[in-house]
């Protein structure tokens, strides 16, 4: 599953977008960190490793609801010729 893991101080949320087994705890040991999400900036900043996200999707990983919305907002750059 590709979902958010919260890091950061109290009342200052910062999230990592991680690949993790579905039944693990929210901040449990993840397989790989594939991006970050900072909702405190204006506008919210999102960084993604699109190649790694695509790799894990091809292996059967599913997005959480929130990550699916974030990925839709931040599409992969296209290679222009």
């Amino acid at each position: 599953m590709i979902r958010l893991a919260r890091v950061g101080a109290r009342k200052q949320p910062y999230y990592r977008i991680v690949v993790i087994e579905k039944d693990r705890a929210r901040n449990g040991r993840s397989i790989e960190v594939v991006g970050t999400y900072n909702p405190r900036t204006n506008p919210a900043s999102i960084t993604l490793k699109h190649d790694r996200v695509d790799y894990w999707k091809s292996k059967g990983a599913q997005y959480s609801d929130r990550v699916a919305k974030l990925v839709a907002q931040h599409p992969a750059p296209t290679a222009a010729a």
Side-chain angles (χ1 to χ4, degrees):
M1 178 138 226
I2 300 173
R3 66 183 189 199
L4 297 176
R6 185 187 161 134
V7 293
R10 195 177 108 216
K11 295 191 178 183
Q12 296 182 6
Y14 186 81
Y15 299 91
R16 289 181 180 148
I17 301 170
V18 297
V19 178
I20 192 169
E21 293 177 22
K22 187 175 177 81
D23 56 347
R24 285 204 183 264
R26 178 191 73 189
N27 291 341
R29 191 178 79 222
S30 61
I31 298 170
E32 182 178 358
V33 177
V34 294
T36 59
Y37 169 57
N38 187 356
R40 301 200 54 189
T41 59
N42 190 8
S45 60
I46 304 164
T47 59
L48 280 174
K49 298 177 189 172
H50 290 285
D51 56 334
R52 296 305 295 165
V53 171
D54 293 340
Y55 168 79
W56 285 109
K57 286 293 286 181
S58 72
K59 295 295 181 183
Q62 297 175 345
Y63 295 135
S64 67
D65 293 339
R66 173 51 55 190
V67 171
K69 289 180 184 179
L70 293 175
V71 170
Q73 288 176 3
H74 192 66
T78 57

